Amino acid sequence: MSRALLPDLAPWKASADFRRLWTSGLISNFGSFLTFVALPVQLKDLTGSAAAVGAIGAVELLPLIVCGLYGGALADALDKRKLIVWTEAGQGLLSAALLLNALLPRPAVWPLYVVAALSSALVSVQRPALDSLWPRIVAHEDMPAAASLNSLRWTVGGVAGPAVAGVVVAYAGLGWAYAADLLTFAVSLAYIARIAPSPAAEEAAKPDLKAIAEGARYAWSRKELLGTYAVDLAAMFLAMPLAVLPFLADDLHAEWALGLMYATIPAGALLVSLTSGWTSRVHRHGLLVVLSAAGWGLAVAAAGVCGNVWLVLLFLAVGGGFDMVSGIFRAAMWNQTIPDELRGRLAGIELLSYSVGPQLGQVRAGGTAAWAGVRASVWSGGLACAGAVGLLALCLPGLMRYDARTNEHAVRARERRASVPA
């Protein structure tokens, strides 16, 4: 493979804390993807209802919105490492609860929804702290490379976790999947504990409604940032097919392929991450966000139209690749332009843009599948995504014009980082 395509390892080489945080995320992501597959499979087995599986997104939505915004304010006001440690421990306890329920002679349905809601709350508090910590431990010019490496970490877990989960759930049982997730949280905590403290900035605001509103006003003033949020929200709400994959596998008479279906989207993303060296040389980040989000929608639509399981897997992988390109350049725009004292609150808003969409998308996909059929739910969502992204591009020209070399906020952030003593 050409060295120009290989991932840029500069952040990994320069920062021990980056390596620890990256490794911790890789391990916990792997376990979380085991539960990500096991939970809807268990709901499907207990209820037989696509709407019940899609309702996972509904119970996760309110905690995601409330805790995401407040978690962003907490990330700016508290030590980020401590916040990450406590929320990671909480997620481990929730995995233990799922394990205990799965071991019951007759597992109950309601604990699955309760754990899903609580897990959504903890992740929503943790993610702003994580997302605002990366820019502190990575050089400004290495932000695109760090975004690519973080994407690689996520996609490795996203490929291996669902693939292993499909085998574990089918042959060993749901309890083993939940037990493995619990173990990964314990190992992850050991890595996070070694990261240096990351206290709040001197000018940090108190974590209250006023601080949240300040972050929202800043986001509103940055139309190119609004564009990244809106595009990703549309793409995930309209075209995310994960809630109906167990039913799509049944429809294609390929129950054996369920684990592969969950794994192919991150597999496509992984291929992009492994060949992401080119991303550091791209400066028109907004244009790439728009084009790749539209490509994601079209690929998902093709997967819904196809009746051959191997073509479905192929198009889901292509869609995952497009989604990863969008994610890399969204993260680069965020990390290279947002002031440090606002990173937590803006990360909370970012969390809503890339998480609320999938949660609502589960409800949309499950409801549409119950009304019009599983495959119609997939292809119609993909086409709607492509159309919505095109419309947003027309309405938000600032996103299309964004250039990391000349954008005033990127230039200001670059100069500010350069003025800080090493």
PDB file of all heavy atoms in Angstrom, residues 185-204:
ATOM      1  N   PHE A 185     -14.950  -3.277  29.805  1.00  0.00           N
ATOM      2  CA  PHE A 185     -15.022  -2.025  30.559  1.00  0.00           C
ATOM      3  C   PHE A 185     -13.988  -2.019  31.683  1.00  0.00           C
ATOM      4  O   PHE A 185     -13.385  -0.980  31.978  1.00  0.00           O
ATOM      5  CB  PHE A 185     -16.425  -1.810  31.126  1.00  0.00           C
ATOM      6  CG  PHE A 185     -17.389  -1.220  30.143  1.00  0.00           C
ATOM      7  CD1 PHE A 185     -18.544  -1.896  29.785  1.00  0.00           C
ATOM      8  CD2 PHE A 185     -17.146   0.014  29.557  1.00  0.00           C
ATOM      9  CE1 PHE A 185     -19.441  -1.352  28.868  1.00  0.00           C
ATOM     10  CE2 PHE A 185     -18.034   0.570  28.644  1.00  0.00           C
ATOM     11  CZ  PHE A 185     -19.178  -0.118  28.308  1.00  0.00           C
ATOM     12  N   ALA A 186     -13.776  -3.154  32.316  1.00  0.00           N
ATOM     13  CA  ALA A 186     -12.779  -3.231  33.387  1.00  0.00           C
ATOM     14  C   ALA A 186     -11.375  -2.962  32.855  1.00  0.00           C
ATOM     15  O   ALA A 186     -10.588  -2.215  33.458  1.00  0.00           O
ATOM     16  CB  ALA A 186     -12.851  -4.601  34.064  1.00  0.00           C
ATOM     17  N   VAL A 187     -11.042  -3.557  31.704  1.00  0.00           N
ATOM     18  CA  VAL A 187      -9.724  -3.334  31.113  1.00  0.00           C
ATOM     19  C   VAL A 187      -9.573  -1.887  30.655  1.00  0.00           C
ATOM     20  O   VAL A 187      -8.525  -1.254  30.839  1.00  0.00           O
ATOM     21  CB  VAL A 187      -9.496  -4.301  29.935  1.00  0.00           C
ATOM     22  CG1 VAL A 187      -8.153  -4.033  29.265  1.00  0.00           C
ATOM     23  CG2 VAL A 187      -9.569  -5.753  30.420  1.00  0.00           C
ATOM     24  N   SER A 188     -10.627  -1.346  30.065  1.00  0.00           N
ATOM     25  CA  SER A 188     -10.588   0.035  29.602  1.00  0.00           C
ATOM     26  C   SER A 188     -10.305   1.004  30.738  1.00  0.00           C
ATOM     27  O   SER A 188      -9.531   1.956  30.598  1.00  0.00           O
ATOM     28  CB  SER A 188     -11.923   0.377  28.932  1.00  0.00           C
ATOM     29  OG  SER A 188     -11.997   1.751  28.626  1.00  0.00           O
ATOM     30  N   LEU A 189     -10.914   0.774  31.896  1.00  0.00           N
ATOM     31  CA  LEU A 189     -10.706   1.645  33.053  1.00  0.00           C
ATOM     32  C   LEU A 189      -9.239   1.663  33.481  1.00  0.00           C
ATOM     33  O   LEU A 189      -8.723   2.705  33.915  1.00  0.00           O
ATOM     34  CB  LEU A 189     -11.577   1.191  34.221  1.00  0.00           C
ATOM     35  CG  LEU A 189     -13.008   1.710  34.237  1.00  0.00           C
ATOM     36  CD1 LEU A 189     -13.828   0.988  35.299  1.00  0.00           C
ATOM     37  CD2 LEU A 189     -13.020   3.209  34.489  1.00  0.00           C
ATOM     38  N   ALA A 190      -8.566   0.530  33.357  1.00  0.00           N
ATOM     39  CA  ALA A 190      -7.158   0.472  33.743  1.00  0.00           C
ATOM     40  C   ALA A 190      -6.312   1.398  32.875  1.00  0.00           C
ATOM     41  O   ALA A 190      -5.341   2.009  33.356  1.00  0.00           O
ATOM     42  CB  ALA A 190      -6.652  -0.974  33.634  1.00  0.00           C
ATOM     43  N   TYR A 191      -6.648   1.543  31.606  1.00  0.00           N
ATOM     44  CA  TYR A 191      -5.925   2.460  30.720  1.00  0.00           C
ATOM     45  C   TYR A 191      -6.274   3.919  31.015  1.00  0.00           C
ATOM     46  O   TYR A 191      -5.394   4.785  31.080  1.00  0.00           O
ATOM     47  CB  TYR A 191      -6.237   2.146  29.257  1.00  0.00           C
ATOM     48  CG  TYR A 191      -5.424   1.020  28.688  1.00  0.00           C
ATOM     49  CD1 TYR A 191      -5.904  -0.282  28.683  1.00  0.00           C
ATOM     50  CD2 TYR A 191      -4.160   1.250  28.146  1.00  0.00           C
ATOM     51  CE1 TYR A 191      -5.161  -1.326  28.160  1.00  0.00           C
ATOM     52  CE2 TYR A 191      -3.403   0.223  27.622  1.00  0.00           C
ATOM     53  CZ  TYR A 191      -3.912  -1.069  27.632  1.00  0.00           C
ATOM     54  OH  TYR A 191      -3.165  -2.099  27.119  1.00  0.00           O
ATOM     55  N   ILE A 192      -7.562   4.214  31.206  1.00  0.00           N
ATOM     56  CA  ILE A 192      -7.978   5.597  31.437  1.00  0.00           C
ATOM     57  C   ILE A 192      -7.364   6.147  32.713  1.00  0.00           C
ATOM     58  O   ILE A 192      -7.001   7.328  32.792  1.00  0.00           O
ATOM     59  CB  ILE A 192      -9.515   5.688  31.498  1.00  0.00           C
ATOM     60  CG1 ILE A 192     -10.133   5.281  30.162  1.00  0.00           C
ATOM     61  CG2 ILE A 192      -9.959   7.114  31.849  1.00  0.00           C
ATOM     62  CD1 ILE A 192     -11.645   5.198  30.196  1.00  0.00           C
ATOM     63  N   ALA A 193      -7.230   5.295  33.730  1.00  0.00           N
ATOM     64  CA  ALA A 193      -6.700   5.745  35.012  1.00  0.00           C
ATOM     65  C   ALA A 193      -5.273   6.284  34.899  1.00  0.00           C
ATOM     66  O   ALA A 193      -4.828   7.065  35.753  1.00  0.00           O
ATOM     67  CB  ALA A 193      -6.745   4.602  36.020  1.00  0.00           C
ATOM     68  N   ARG A 194      -4.548   5.908  33.849  1.00  0.00           N
ATOM     69  CA  ARG A 194      -3.153   6.348  33.692  1.00  0.00           C
ATOM     70  C   ARG A 194      -3.022   7.652  32.907  1.00  0.00           C
ATOM     71  O   ARG A 194      -1.923   8.176  32.755  1.00  0.00           O
ATOM     72  CB  ARG A 194      -2.364   5.248  32.983  1.00  0.00           C
ATOM     73  CG  ARG A 194      -2.305   3.928  33.743  1.00  0.00           C
ATOM     74  CD  ARG A 194      -1.594   2.874  32.924  1.00  0.00           C
ATOM     75  NE  ARG A 194      -0.223   3.273  32.617  1.00  0.00           N
ATOM     76  CZ  ARG A 194       0.500   2.742  31.630  1.00  0.00           C
ATOM     77  NH1 ARG A 194      -0.049   1.815  30.845  1.00  0.00           N
ATOM     78  NH2 ARG A 194       1.734   3.140  31.420  1.00  0.00           N
ATOM     79  N   ILE A 195      -4.135   8.188  32.417  1.00  0.00           N
ATOM     80  CA  ILE A 195      -4.097   9.444  31.668  1.00  0.00           C
ATOM     81  C   ILE A 195      -3.910  10.607  32.636  1.00  0.00           C
ATOM     82  O   ILE A 195      -4.444  10.606  33.747  1.00  0.00           O
ATOM     83  CB  ILE A 195      -5.392   9.620  30.856  1.00  0.00           C
ATOM     84  CG1 ILE A 195      -5.482   8.528  29.779  1.00  0.00           C
ATOM     85  CG2 ILE A 195      -5.464  10.997  30.220  1.00  0.00           C
ATOM     86  CD1 ILE A 195      -6.806   8.496  29.060  1.00  0.00           C
ATOM     87  N   ALA A 196      -3.145  11.606  32.227  1.00  0.00           N
ATOM     88  CA  ALA A 196      -2.906  12.768  33.080  1.00  0.00           C
ATOM     89  C   ALA A 196      -4.208  13.522  33.329  1.00  0.00           C
ATOM     90  O   ALA A 196      -5.098  13.542  32.474  1.00  0.00           O
ATOM     91  CB  ALA A 196      -1.895  13.699  32.416  1.00  0.00           C
ATOM     92  N   PRO A 197      -4.349  14.141  34.515  1.00  0.00           N
ATOM     93  CA  PRO A 197      -5.540  14.949  34.781  1.00  0.00           C
ATOM     94  C   PRO A 197      -5.716  16.040  33.725  1.00  0.00           C
ATOM     95  O   PRO A 197      -4.745  16.530  33.150  1.00  0.00           O
ATOM     96  CB  PRO A 197      -5.255  15.549  36.159  1.00  0.00           C
ATOM     97  CG  PRO A 197      -4.281  14.613  36.799  1.00  0.00           C
ATOM     98  CD  PRO A 197      -3.424  14.102  35.666  1.00  0.00           C
ATOM     99  N   SER A 198      -6.959  16.403  33.488  1.00  0.00           N
ATOM    100  CA  SER A 198      -7.257  17.446  32.504  1.00  0.00           C
ATOM    101  C   SER A 198      -8.264  18.424  33.111  1.00  0.00           C
ATOM    102  O   SER A 198      -9.453  18.383  32.810  1.00  0.00           O
ATOM    103  CB  SER A 198      -7.825  16.826  31.218  1.00  0.00           C
ATOM    104  OG  SER A 198      -8.052  17.809  30.232  1.00  0.00           O
ATOM    105  N   PRO A 199      -7.784  19.309  34.006  1.00  0.00           N
ATOM    106  CA  PRO A 199      -8.695  20.208  34.721  1.00  0.00           C
ATOM    107  C   PRO A 199      -9.345  21.224  33.803  1.00  0.00           C
ATOM    108  O   PRO A 199      -8.910  21.453  32.674  1.00  0.00           O
ATOM    109  CB  PRO A 199      -7.784  20.884  35.745  1.00  0.00           C
ATOM    110  CG  PRO A 199      -6.413  20.810  35.136  1.00  0.00           C
ATOM    111  CD  PRO A 199      -6.374  19.529  34.373  1.00  0.00           C
ATOM    112  N   ALA A 200     -10.397  21.848  34.317  1.00  0.00           N
ATOM    113  CA  ALA A 200     -11.113  22.859  33.551  1.00  0.00           C
ATOM    114  C   ALA A 200     -10.229  24.070  33.298  1.00  0.00           C
ATOM    115  O   ALA A 200      -9.291  24.362  34.056  1.00  0.00           O
ATOM    116  CB  ALA A 200     -12.376  23.285  34.313  1.00  0.00           C
ATOM    117  N   ALA A 201     -10.508  24.777  32.217  1.00  0.00           N
ATOM    118  CA  ALA A 201      -9.792  26.009  31.917  1.00  0.00           C
ATOM    119  C   ALA A 201     -10.100  27.060  32.982  1.00  0.00           C
ATOM    120  O   ALA A 201     -11.146  27.021  33.638  1.00  0.00           O
ATOM    121  CB  ALA A 201     -10.196  26.525  30.538  1.00  0.00           C
ATOM    122  N   GLU A 202      -9.182  28.011  33.169  1.00  0.00           N
ATOM    123  CA  GLU A 202      -9.373  29.037  34.191  1.00  0.00           C
ATOM    124  C   GLU A 202     -10.653  29.833  33.979  1.00  0.00           C
ATOM    125  O   GLU A 202     -11.319  30.237  34.926  1.00  0.00           O
ATOM    126  CB  GLU A 202      -8.166  29.984  34.213  1.00  0.00           C
ATOM    127  CG  GLU A 202      -6.873  29.313  34.679  1.00  0.00           C
ATOM    128  CD  GLU A 202      -5.718  30.302  34.741  1.00  0.00           C
ATOM    129  OE1 GLU A 202      -5.957  31.501  34.473  1.00  0.00           O
ATOM    130  OE2 GLU A 202      -4.596  29.880  35.059  1.00  0.00           O
ATOM    131  N   GLU A 203     -10.990  30.076  32.715  1.00  0.00           N
ATOM    132  CA  GLU A 203     -12.171  30.871  32.402  1.00  0.00           C
ATOM    133  C   GLU A 203     -13.425  30.017  32.219  1.00  0.00           C
ATOM    134  O   GLU A 203     -14.431  30.481  31.672  1.00  0.00           O
ATOM    135  CB  GLU A 203     -11.936  31.698  31.135  1.00  0.00           C
ATOM    136  CG  GLU A 203     -11.688  30.887  29.862  1.00  0.00           C
ATOM    137  CD  GLU A 203     -10.226  30.533  29.638  1.00  0.00           C
ATOM    138  OE1 GLU A 203      -9.506  30.345  30.640  1.00  0.00           O
ATOM    139  OE2 GLU A 203      -9.810  30.434  28.473  1.00  0.00           O
ATOM    140  N   ALA A 204     -13.383  28.769  32.691  1.00  0.00           N
ATOM    141  CA  ALA A 204     -14.517  27.857  32.493  1.00  0.00           C
ATOM    142  C   ALA A 204     -15.772  28.380  33.177  1.00  0.00           C
ATOM    143  O   ALA A 204     -15.729  28.896  34.293  1.00  0.00           O
ATOM    144  CB  ALA A 204     -14.177  26.473  33.023  1.00  0.00           C
TER     145      ALA A 204
END
